[in-house]
Amino acid sequence: MLASSLLANYCTELHDDQTHKVDKYLKILQLSDETLMDVSIRFRREMDKGLCKDTNPSAAVKMLPTFVLSTPDGTEQGEFLALDLGGANFRVLLVKVMADGEQKVEMENQIYDIPEHLMRGSGTELFDHIANCLANFLEKLGMKDRKLPLGFTFSFPCQQTKLDESVLLSWTKAFKSSGVEGKDVVSLLRKSIKKRGDFDVDILAVINDTVGTMMTCGYDDHLCEIGLIVGTGTNACYMEQMRNIELLDVDEGRMCVNTEWGAFGDDGALEDLRTDIDREIDAGSLNPGKQLFEKMISGMYMGELVRLILVRMTKEKLLFQAKTTAELLTTGSFKTSYIYGIDNENNEEGLASAEKVLRGLNLDPSVEDCIATQRVCQIVSTRAAHLCAATLVAVLRQIRDNKAAEKLRTTIGVDGSVYKNHPEFSRRLHKMVRRLVPDCDVRFLQSQCGSGKGAAMVTAVAYRLAAQNAERQRILDTMCLSREQLLEVKRRMSEEMVRGLSKQTHEQASVKMLPAYVRSTPDGTEHGDFLALDLGGSSFRVLLVQVQSGQRHKVKMHQKIYSIPQETMQGTGEELFDHIVDCIAAFLEYMGMRGASLPLGFTFSFPCHQSRLDQGILLKWTKGFKASGCEGHDVILLLKDAVRRRQEFDLNFVAVVNDTVGTMMTCGYEDPKCEVGLIVGTGTNACYMEEMKNIELVEGNEGRMSINMEWGAFGDNGELDDFCTQFDHIVDDTSNNPRKQRYEKMISGMYLGEIVRNVLIDFTSKGLLFRGKLSERLKTRGIFVTKFLSQIESDRLAMRQIRSILQHLGLTGSTIDDSVLVKEVCSVVARRAAQLCGAGLAAVVDRMRENRNLNQFSVTVGVDGTLYKTHPHFSSIMQETLQDLAPQCHVTFQKSEDGSGKGAALITAVACRIKSEGQH
């Protein structure tokens, strides 16, 4: 307590009066909320500079990548060694991490001295000493024969190039060991361990103390994604989106960035806020002009700031009757730890501490002097806490913006003597952070075990990630096809095409190679009005196509889309075709053409057997259709019967084609070289112009005819068994048509989402994704629609949008790492689909080239289908594969803009043209 003589003079008025005087004197050190917000905005700009490749070299805030990719998720387990070097002694730790139902960590550690001659001697001797201490520690535990993973906390400025590679930029904190700056400290340690030869460790990670703090706290609180140190020095780190770290060429996932924020202001960004006292501190320091922000905040300088202010006030006759002492004038005599006692919410205790400290400096303080000293301490430490809050707020806003979250909920792991020992500092810091970002729910968690445990946690996480990565890669590798495998797919497809064309083997062939009876592509003289129907999914189109002769490419179209209810798709054939005719009647009514009789082309995108152009016998329903009484029947007759039942109009049925042939014809109208049609949408199929002499099912050897390959069934005889994975088998077994359309099930839009969903379920059940927690929605068949693949793989789509898709699937707790993984799964599944499609197409174009005895062959492929059109990478991967597997073919791709309905009308127009030519 204050000496009773001083206490007698103490009263509230005196206190307020003295406080007011000091406040007036130190007005420049008291920062308003507006000023702090401005500091925060400036720091955010400095962060951007440090993250940007072009501005990083000149940036004061270096934003160093740490190669720490993930915080703990609670599933880490095992035994890990840690070294913690950052001062005159260092610690060796053995950390046992357990995850059996509950998270538990057991630690054993020993502190070793580093003699001063080693701190200033040769680097080799320093690292030999560290290796000797490590050996001693392992010897005591009887563990020298085991090779354990080790994490190394090395709290000096370093440039990291990998998690286990860190080049020392410059020694600080009284270290001056020669031959270490500019070298990788992990290599130096490995060398010293190897020299001993009596034990070995697996050095997995090197980190600084800030990252160690974040990881230590991250083990106890999975929301922790910021590390803060306010001790002798100050620094912060946080989890940043990889796409923002331009120094690395990676777009996905997160990495911890070590801001090295102590250097904020080294480029002049804080000049207007630095006072003469700050400049005096800097001038007298070991590193003038460097770490200017740190010099306004950290424990190394806070006490000295107070001393310099007291000296100035004394010289200006405001304190101690204008009498200084040798002790007060000695640099470093007012320790930062003194402030912890003086700046106390209990005024009297604080004043008693002030009196004790001042008397220790040989001063004879009055009660006014004690009150003034207490206020100086409060102002200096409040400014430090508030400046620290301003920069923290910039980090919080960056994380919030990265996540596009309206309200951010996060945890900051904190360590350091100032934060831990100065009770008012932490309270002021928390309060100001919450005031400046009311839209962030921030929890501060004090690190209990220091950064050594953090190094072990980084190692544990690296160990977990490596094991999980290896397992994930093993699973995904089963879906990656080599060039040899793709060439084999091409060879088998070619074989099946031959079997499908041959009379002898046609019945057994999986690829049916059905003649489509389309003998000619448009020549531009077609003209007239034609109706077209396009049925291939849960909606169908009725079109009026008006073709004008003499002007190629002059086609007018009117169309309407009608839906087919699920019960109609799976009811009776009569109901289905009556519904179609009702829609045709509605369309004619809408067009004001009621009762008109027009030539009609019918695009019917299901496997059919044709023996002429205007007949199509349905072989089997696909794509979810199940209408009874249709398989084995001619769909044109079923349609004619329905028209007859309605007795309202008559139609001239000219052609039935499938969507693939329709697509080829539509594109053929624009480009006469188009002789291949390809669909990659809900289903997949291809057609092409085959030589008549090879089509054994049709009489005649002259000219060519379009072949509807029905290639979706490739593999139904086991041709793809050695390429199918466990996921393909699950999708096939649970489909409407098990062991049918095997090729289609590996390629088309109807199934890719299902393959992805099953991979995600497998990963989750193995704890490789979503922290092992499966949502009920993800268990629902068909919930992961294929359009998600296209959205997720869109290069413009940020990870947060992928997260919103995952939230829609009930995965509300998914992380950025989960999003990266989901994207990778989508990418692997889509890539395989595009490559398989490319291999099949290579077989087709190479066959056409050989048919025509050409060394080089140019052809256009007309393409349609949502997967091809909307997936950002499918088309380019498919084309790359095709070019690689059929190098003698020059293939151009043309997207069909008007769908296969227009193709049906053009086939009808060509048939009408040929018919009328035959009559003349």
Side-chain angles (χ1 to χ4, degrees), residues 885-901:
L885 302 183
Q888 290 164 277
C889 299
H890 175 70
V891 183
T892 308
F893 287 84
Q894 184 172 341
K895 279 185 200 170
S896 162
E897 292 311 326
D898 304 303
S900 45

Side-chain angles (χ1 to χ4, degrees), residues 812-828:
T812 46
S814 68
T815 63
I816 298 283
D817 296 336
D818 291 333
S819 297
V820 172
L821 247 171
V822 169
K823 186 170 183 181
E824 190 185 350
V825 173
C826 291
S827 171
V828 166

Side-chain angles (χ1 to χ4, degrees), residues 452-720:
K453 176 182 167 188
M457 289 322 308
V458 171
T459 309
V461 169
Y463 209 66
R464 164 177 66 80
L465 290 178
Q468 288 178 339
N469 256 339
E471 176 60 8
R472 281 191 291 256
Q473 213 41 60
R474 186 191 66 71
I475 296 166
L476 290 179
D477 281 348
T478 63
M479 307 185 83
C480 296
L481 299 172
S482 65
R483 186 169 188 270
E484 287 61 42
Q485 287 174 308
L486 290 167
L487 279 167
E488 183 58 23
V489 170
K490 176 190 170 186
R491 190 187 67 73
R492 292 180 196 178
M493 177 69 87
S494 302
E495 272 180 13
E496 279 306 300
M497 288 169 74
V498 172
R499 281 163 54 80
L501 288 168
S502 156
K503 219 175 209 167
Q504 267 181 314
T505 50
H506 174 80
E507 281 305 314
Q508 299 87 50
S510 62
V511 180
K512 286 297 178 204
M513 305 293 283
L514 304 170
Y517 292 86
V518 172
R519 304 288 309 269
S520 171
T521 49
D523 70 358
T525 64
E526 296 78 13
H527 61 96
D529 290 358
F530 305 92
L531 266 184
L533 303 181
D534 187 359
L535 175 67
S538 58
S539 62
F540 86 107
R541 293 189 303 154
V542 185
L543 306 93
L544 172 68
V545 181
Q546 298 171 308
V547 184
Q548 297 175 19
S549 67
Q551 292 174 291
R552 196 180 178 90
H553 320 318
K554 193 76 177 148
V555 174
K556 269 194 194 158
M557 292 207 306
H558 305 274
Q559 59 174 322
K560 254 182 126 50
I561 294 174
Y562 299 90
S563 66
I564 301 178
Q566 187 77 17
E567 57 271 22
T568 308
M569 286 167 71
Q570 307 196 340
T572 68
E574 232 171 64
E575 288 166 351
L576 174 64
F577 283 92
D578 282 348
H579 178 68
I580 290 171
V581 170
D582 289 346
C583 296
I584 297 172
F587 178 76
L588 290 172
E589 182 85 48
Y590 166 73
M591 293 299 298
M593 299 173 68
R594 195 172 171 181
S597 178
L598 294 173
L600 181 138
F602 186 12
T603 301
F604 186 73
S605 306
F606 300 91
C608 283
H609 175 72
Q610 287 185 266
S611 53
R612 55 178 199 268
L613 185 59
D614 63 352
Q615 177 208 54
I617 292 161
L618 175 64
L619 298 176
K620 60 180 176 190
W621 282 120
T622 55
K623 306 180 215 177
F625 276 76
K626 280 270 174 70
S628 60
C630 298
E631 289 181 353
H633 294 272
D634 178 5
V635 294
I636 293 286
L637 283 179
L638 294 173
L639 195 54
K640 277 181 176 171
D641 289 345
V643 170
R644 208 171 292 124
R645 279 194 295 277
R646 191 169 173 101
Q647 294 184 333
E648 200 175 288
F649 53 82
D650 200 15
L651 293 170
N652 170 18
F653 295 96
V654 174
V656 61
V657 297
N658 84 341
D659 53 353
T660 324
V661 180
T663 297
M664 180 181 77
M665 292 299 270
T666 301
C667 296
Y669 191 65
E670 305 290 329
D671 179 350
K673 283 172 79 173
C674 181
E675 296 186 75
V676 182
L678 171 68
I679 300 276
V680 195
T682 314
T684 182
N685 194 12
C687 70
Y688 71 104
M689 299 303 285
E690 177 59 86
E691 310 301 311
M692 280 293 288
K693 64 175 187 285
N694 296 332
I695 308 171
E696 294 184 10
L697 299 174
V698 180
E699 295 295 316
N701 287 332
E702 292 308 307
R704 298 183 183 126
M705 180 183 281
S706 171
I707 288 288
N708 163 22
M709 292 176 65
E710 288 298 340
W711 81 359
F714 175 49
D716 290 5
N717 292 339
E719 303 92 336
L720 293 170

Side-chain angles (χ1 to χ4, degrees), residues 19 29 34 112 178 239 290 393 417 430 471 521 540 580 583-584 652 682 714 796 804:
T19 300
L29 289 180
E34 289 72 25
Y112 294 91
S178 61
M239 295 303 287
K290 297 266 187 290
V393 162
S417 53
H430 301 173
E471 176 60 8
T521 49
F540 86 107
I580 290 171
C583 296
I584 297 172
N652 170 18
T682 314
F714 175 49
R796 295 187 311 281
S804 73

Side-chain angles (χ1 to χ4, degrees), residues 59-255:
V61 180
K62 283 296 178 201
M63 305 295 283
L64 304 170
T66 65
F67 297 84
V68 171
L69 300 175
S70 178
T71 50
D73 72 355
T75 63
E76 293 77 15
Q77 50 190 338
E79 291 183 303
F80 306 93
L81 286 168
L83 293 180
D84 188 357
L85 175 65
N89 52 39
F90 80 104
R91 288 194 306 157
V92 184
L93 305 92
L94 174 70
V95 182
K96 289 183 190 177
V97 186
M98 287 150 280
D100 307 328
E102 55 167 323
Q103 286 176 219
K104 227 168 74 187
V105 174
E106 287 175 5
M107 296 202 298
E108 294 187 51
N109 71 81
Q110 188 161 339
I111 292 175
Y112 294 91
D113 278 340
I114 298 183
E116 199 160 323
H117 72 275
L118 287 181
M119 288 166 73
R120 298 171 184 283
S122 83
T124 309
E125 288 172 349
L126 173 67
F127 282 94
D128 284 352
H129 175 67
I130 294 170
N132 294 342
C133 296
L134 188 52
N136 170 269
F137 182 74
L138 290 169
E139 182 94 59
K140 282 183 181 169
L141 294 174
M143 297 178 81
K144 265 175 101 175
D145 55 335
R146 288 177 59 191
K147 184 177 180 177
L148 291 174
L150 178 140
F152 187 9
T153 302
F154 187 73
S155 302
F156 300 92
C158 285
Q159 180 80 51
Q160 275 193 264
T161 42
K162 294 196 293 223
L163 184 59
D164 62 350
E165 192 174 277
S166 197
V167 174
L168 175 66
L169 298 176
S170 59
W171 282 117
T172 54
K173 308 177 208 177
F175 274 76
K176 272 278 179 276
S177 299
S178 61
V180 184
E181 291 182 346
K183 298 275 174 63
D184 170 28
V185 294
V186 175
S187 298
L188 295 172
L189 181 57
R190 281 188 181 130
K191 207 169 168 184
S192 291
I193 290 170
K194 197 173 177 190
K195 205 192 300 178
R196 279 187 62 97
D198 59 343
F199 75 96
D200 200 5
V201 292
D202 187 8
I203 305 174
L204 287 183
V206 57
I207 59 165
N208 79 346
D209 51 355
T210 323
V211 180
T213 297
M214 179 185 79
M215 295 299 271
T216 300
C217 296
Y219 184 69
D220 299 318
D221 181 341
H222 298 158
L223 288 175
C224 182
E225 50 192 339
I226 300 173
L228 169 67
I229 301 269
V230 193
T232 314
T234 182
N235 193 12
C237 69
Y238 71 102
M239 295 303 287
E240 175 59 272
Q241 298 275 20
M242 290 274 234
R243 66 171 187 273
N244 294 333
I245 309 172
E246 287 187 12
L247 296 171
L248 307 173
D249 233 1
V250 188
D251 280 342
E252 286 159 17
R254 298 198 304 165
M255 181 184 282

